[in-house]
Amino acid sequence: MINSYKQLGTRYLKKNMKRTILTLVGIVLSVALISTIGLFMKGSQLSQIENIKKLNGVSFHVGISDYDEEILNKIKFNPQIESFGLMSQGDIVPVGDVSVQMNFSDHHALKYLTYSLLDGKLPTNDHEAAVDPWVLPYIKKDLQIGDSFELEGKTYQLVGLLNNSEFTQKNKEGRLLTYKSKFAIGEGRILIEINEKANFNEVLDELKLMTEDNNIDINTQLIQALKPESDQSLLAILVIVVSIVVISTIVVIYNAFQISVVERMKQFGLLRSIGATRKQIRQIVMKEAVVLAVIAIPIGIVCSLLALAILQTIFLIVLSDGQNITIFNVDWKIMLISSLLTLIAVLASSYYPAFFAGKISPLLAISSRLSIKKEAIKKQKNTVLRKPLSFPLSMALKNVKRNKNRYLVTILSIIISSVLFITFSSLMDIAFSSKFMNDSPAKSDLTVYLQNDNQASSESLQIMDQLKLIRNVSEVSEQNLSFRIVLKDTAQSLVTVEDIQKTIGNKHSITVSNHFEENKVKKESVLVIKVLVYAFIVVIVIIGSLNILNTITISIMIRRKELAALKSIGMSQRDLKKMIIYEALIYGFSGSLQGIFFGCILSYIIYLAASGVLKVAWTIPYEACFITFSAALFISYLSVLLPLRRIQQDNIIDTIREE
């Protein structure tokens, strides 16, 4: 028994389950889009922070050298500074043909250097040391982690290996890092970590006022990754992306409710005729919106978490240290904001259809004349020269023209999906133009540099032949007094370096640079960016495609009675099928062209915002535009196949009699 008009909304949802599910899918896709983008950006930010720390080998934000006690005290008692440490360089100690640079750090500074550790651990006292792997044979033969060695009259225990740097190898100056508890005022430099909740720009301005510009070293890449909002260009890009997503969400949900209201104009007219007020009609539609939102929001959140879990699994499979990359980051704040945004979007987008439903005139609604618009007859000129259109195409054009409201509602989904794809494709191009992508790994695993510039060409050929004979060497190429070597097994790079030193280093003055670890970090950093970007595009494509399918399917399904009437007056099933397909293609054609136009404009706006961060050139995204146009036509065609099957099975008389 119905005790209130509001119960009619839930009754309608239960009775028309297929239509309810289609509307529900639209809301689920919308909340999934917002939450996935939010969680995706958070996970991408964390991943980028880890990549920057690995590439640079350090995690401090600012370094200050040539300091005094006053500067040290200002840093020490600054509440916006999380922690600070001290690090200094000592003597350069000759060890055979190379030398070792002594480095000293306290406990806080050592924490900032954990990303430069290749194996083992960092020293905890002044009798322990971490050393570059390539310099170990020069210090002591067969030196392994846990062994002791003597350097500069002091005995150290080797506890860790630092990552190999091409710069240190080429200059034949290795690094030794050990612990030091007490530093003299002004010794070395101060390494600073700023509190993540602090205003970074404010803290940096304070630090710059303390000393001269040449005494301060700012880890700009890491700070930009930690605080993207501190950069106006990045903030502009973020605002554009979020605005596009929120607007698209409102439009998609609005489409679903507007189509639902248009379909039920006769029902609302009957309710008005028996005494229902405009307010009660609005409450029916708004309650439907709330019920659907309450059901759809949790499902959308789960879908977004599932998408991130799949992405995390891909990282575990593709990357050797994928377990260290955390994309699956459950941020309750982002999920709560996504839920609230979707709820607001649902209420906002359903308000106008509810307001429209309340204004329906009972007499016009019952007579089903609201959706019919009489237009002035226009005389056609030069009809003899015009090629006559086929009957189904002519009917399709008239149907589209007859109900412009339904036409606009339908193509809005196509426009939004096209704009999303083109915009995020442009973001993908910007990401691939970033420093991380351009800072590509070395083309070789090892590089052998000749120290003698006057080396004879015959000797160079002899060295190349000897390098080819080394067992782990796959390819050797000569370039500018150096030999680039590709290894068969990169895991045996250290052993191969020793073999080269034994066979060639004894006869010629050479320097061997091992790029294995450096290449590995760079390759994985590039791969992470590619996986993130392509996964993001896949999510956008799936959600955009489902939105188009959902909207066009609803648009066709609500016209079953009209289509049955056409069949009853003699229209063949074949012509009816052609007419519906032509309509879908018109939607796809018109929507994709408009989406391409607005997408290119937004692409250019994003380029203007990104030009402050990256030096990239803007070009019209022809490839994305072509994919958008082709995909819109294809998806529009697919979207009518299921409704067509249902319409073919309908009984003409029963469908016409439906109320």
Side-chain angles (χ1 to χ4, degrees):
M1 182 177 178
I2 297 176
N3 299 318
S4 171
Y5 280 106
K6 294 179 183 178
Q7 292 179 317
L8 290 173
T10 52
R11 286 287 185 95
Y12 171 79
L13 294 176
K14 290 178 182 178
K15 184 180 178 182
N16 299 274
M17 284 302 296
K18 288 184 179 179
R19 217 157 296 147
T20 300
I21 290 172
L22 287 173
T23 308
L24 199 65
V25 167
I27 302 174
V28 168
L29 291 174
S30 300
V31 66
L33 180 61
I34 294 176
S35 58
T36 301
I37 287 175
L39 294 172
F40 207 92
M41 285 183 172
K42 184 65 177 179
S44 300
Q45 182 191 21
L46 295 175
S47 175
Q48 187 184 18
I49 290 169
E50 290 298 309
N51 285 336
I52 291 171
K53 289 177 179 178
K54 284 182 182 179
L55 288 170
N56 296 336
V58 294
S59 62
F60 64 88
H61 302 148
V62 183
I64 295 179
S65 57
D66 194 15
Y67 60 94
D68 54 23
E69 189 171 1
E70 183 183 357
I71 293 174
L72 186 61
N73 287 331
K74 284 182 179 179
I75 292 169
K76 186 176 182 180
F77 297 108
N78 190 333
Q80 296 193 92
I81 291 177
E82 182 71 25
S83 63
F84 71 94
L86 297 171
M87 181 180 180
S88 66
Q89 289 185 329
D91 298 332
I92 297 175
V93 183
V95 182
D97 295 334
V98 300
S99 57
V100 175
Q101 170 73 65
M102 304 294 291
N103 292 272
F104 306 98
S105 300
D106 62 9
H107 284 305
H108 288 295
L110 285 169
K111 284 196 297 185
Y112 307 143
L113 305 176
T114 54
Y115 290 91
S116 63
L117 193 65
L118 181 63
D119 195 11
K121 65 173 187 175
L122 290 173
T124 55
N125 57 62
D126 56 1
H127 294 290
E128 295 178 345
V131 184
D132 285 345
W134 68 268
V135 84
L136 294 181
Y138 297 97
I139 297 175
K140 183 180 178 182
K141 189 177 181 181
D142 299 326
L143 183 59
Q144 302 290 331
I145 292 178
D147 296 344
S148 298
F149 64 94
E150 188 174 328
L151 193 66
E152 209 179 15
K154 186 174 181 179
T155 302
Y156 296 96
Q157 182 185 13
L158 181 66
V159 294
L161 300 176
L162 302 174
N163 51 11
N164 280 315
S165 168
E166 183 180 1
F167 177 79
T168 61
Q169 294 177 79
K170 193 172 181 179
N171 292 323
K172 290 191 173 183
E173 190 178 288
R175 297 169 297 171
L176 182 144
L177 178 63
T178 187
Y179 170 76
K180 186 176 181 179
S181 58
K182 294 182 179 180
F183 289 79
I185 298 297
E187 180 184 355
R189 61 175 180 160
I190 309 171
L191 307 183
I192 300 168
E193 181 185 9
I194 303 172
N195 192 312
E196 288 192 13
K197 295 181 180 179
N199 186 324
F200 271 54
N201 289 332
E202 187 179 304
V203 177
L204 290 174
D205 290 338
E206 288 181 19
L207 294 174
K208 287 175 183 178
L209 292 173
M210 294 181 188
T211 184
E212 297 178 4
D213 291 343
N214 57 345
N215 292 332
I216 188 167
D217 178 26
I218 300 174
N219 194 344
T220 308
Q221 290 180 357
L222 182 57
I223 290 174
Q224 284 183 348
L226 284 167
K227 295 287 182 179
E229 67 274 11
S230 63
D231 189 289
Q232 295 299 320
S233 297
L234 291 174
L235 183 61
I237 294 173
L238 191 64
V239 169
I240 292 170
V241 170
V242 173
S243 300
I244 293 171
V245 172
V246 172
I247 291 171
S248 66
T249 299
I250 292 173
V251 169
V252 168
I253 298 171
Y254 169 80
N255 286 353
F257 282 104
Q258 179 66 11
I259 291 172
S260 175
V261 167
V262 170
E263 180 191 11
R264 291 185 290 157
M265 286 189 299
K266 190 171 184 177
Q267 295 176 16
F268 291 136
L270 288 170
L271 289 172
R272 289 294 311 282
S273 68
I274 60 174
T277 64
R278 293 184 177 185
K279 183 179 179 181
Q280 288 172 329
I281 298 295
R282 287 198 296 268
Q283 287 176 343
I284 292 172
V285 179
M286 295 299 289
K287 185 178 180 181
E288 289 179 19
V290 172
V291 170
L292 290 172
V294 170
I295 297 171
I297 286 172
I299 298 173
I301 296 292
V302 170
C303 290
S304 63
L305 291 175
L306 183 62
L308 291 177
I310 293 170
L311 185 60
Q312 185 68 59
T313 305
I314 292 172
F315 278 126
L316 290 172
I317 296 170
V318 174
L319 302 178
S320 58
D321 61 343
Q323 67 276 4
N324 297 325
I325 298 173
T326 308
I327 294 296
F328 188 78
N329 180 62
V330 181
D331 193 314
W332 295 105
K333 188 184 293 184
I334 291 175
M335 290 192 289
L336 180 61
I337 292 172
S338 301
S339 302
L340 289 174
L341 275 175
T342 306
L343 182 60
I344 293 169
V346 169
L347 295 176
S349 55
S350 61
Y351 178 77
Y352 178 75
F355 182 77
F356 174 73
K359 289 179 63 178
I360 291 174
S361 168
L363 293 176
L364 287 176
I366 293 171
S367 62
S368 300
R369 293 176 60 193
L370 278 175
S371 61
I372 301 173
K373 183 180 179 182
K374 187 177 180 181
E375 297 179 354
I377 299 173
K378 296 180 181 179
K379 293 183 178 180
Q380 299 288 342
K381 296 181 179 180
N382 299 326
T383 52
V384 177
L385 299 176
R386 291 177 178 270
K387 184 178 179 180
L389 297 173
S390 66
F391 176 69
L393 179 57
S394 177
M395 286 293 293
L397 289 169
K398 288 178 180 179
N399 285 334
V400 170
K401 187 178 179 181
R402 176 172 59 89
N403 197 323
K404 290 187 177 181
N405 185 44
R406 184 173 61 211
Y407 166 74
L408 290 173
V409 166
T410 305
I411 68 164
L412 267 175
S413 285
I414 302 174
I415 293 172
I416 290 294
S417 300
S418 302
V419 168
L420 281 173
F421 179 73
I422 293 173
T423 303
F424 285 105
S425 295
S426 298
L427 281 175
M428 178 181 71
D429 294 336
I430 291 171
F432 287 169
S433 301
S434 67
K435 180 183 181 299
F436 298 111
M437 304 300 289
N438 293 327
D439 189 16
S440 58
K443 295 181 180 179
S444 59
D445 299 314
L446 303 176
T447 302
V448 179
Y449 297 95
L450 299 178
Q451 299 299 310
N452 185 5
D453 294 343
N454 297 321
Q455 194 84 34
S457 59
S458 58
E459 290 186 33
S460 296
L461 291 172
Q462 185 181 1
I463 293 171
M464 182 181 286
D465 292 336
Q466 290 176 341
L467 287 171
K468 290 179 180 179
L469 294 175
I470 295 173
R471 57 184 177 179
N472 194 31
V473 173
S474 175
E475 296 178 16
V476 182
S477 59
E478 185 180 4
Q479 185 177 358
N480 298 329
L481 295 175
S482 65
F483 299 94
R484 302 187 182 278
I485 300 172
V486 178
L487 301 179
K488 296 175 183 176
D489 183 7
T490 52
Q492 300 295 320
S493 59
L494 293 176
V495 177
T496 308
V497 170
E498 291 181 11
D499 291 343
I500 293 172
Q501 293 285 7
K502 289 176 183 177
T503 55
I504 300 171
N506 293 332
K507 300 177 183 178
H508 305 277
S509 179
I510 62 170
T511 301
V512 184
S513 292
N514 188 346
H515 311 297
F516 169 63
E517 291 299 331
E518 204 169 352
N519 284 350
K520 182 182 176 183
V521 172
K522 287 182 179 180
K523 285 178 181 177
E524 292 192 347
S525 299
V526 170
L527 188 58
V528 165
I529 293 175
K530 285 186 176 181
V531 171
L532 286 173
V533 170
Y534 283 122
F536 199 54
I537 292 294
V538 167
V539 170
I540 295 297
V541 167
I542 291 173
I543 291 175
S545 301
L546 290 175
N547 276 333
I548 295 172
L549 285 166
N550 191 34
T551 306
I552 294 182
T553 299
I554 293 175
S555 177
I556 299 298
M557 290 300 295
I558 64 174
R559 295 168 54 207
R560 287 174 55 233
K561 191 172 182 179
E562 173 191 320
L563 298 174
L566 288 173
K567 287 198 289 184
S568 69
I569 59 175
M571 191 173 191
S572 68
Q573 186 67 47
R574 183 180 178 183
D575 285 345
L576 184 71
K577 181 179 178 180
K578 284 184 179 181
M579 182 189 75
I580 294 173
I581 290 174
Y582 283 142
E583 283 186 39
L585 293 177
I586 290 169
Y587 291 143
F589 181 82
S590 177
S592 61
L593 288 182
Q594 294 180 65
I596 288 169
F597 175 74
F598 292 114
C600 288
I601 291 175
L602 280 172
S603 169
Y604 185 72
I605 293 172
I606 290 175
Y607 154 74
L608 292 177
S611 59
V613 182
L614 302 169
K615 300 297 181 183
V616 291
W618 184 81
T619 56
I620 296 175
Y622 292 106
E623 187 176 347
C625 292
F626 176 75
I627 293 172
T628 299
F629 181 75
S630 304
L633 292 177
F634 180 68
I635 295 168
S636 299
Y637 171 74
L638 288 180
S639 62
V640 299
L641 296 182
L642 186 62
L644 273 174
R645 186 178 299 177
R646 170 75 185 277
I647 290 166
Q648 286 176 354
Q649 296 171 354
D650 283 344
N651 183 283
I652 297 175
I653 297 174
D654 291 341
T655 305
I656 293 174
R657 285 178 176 176
E658 283 182 1
E659 292 294 334

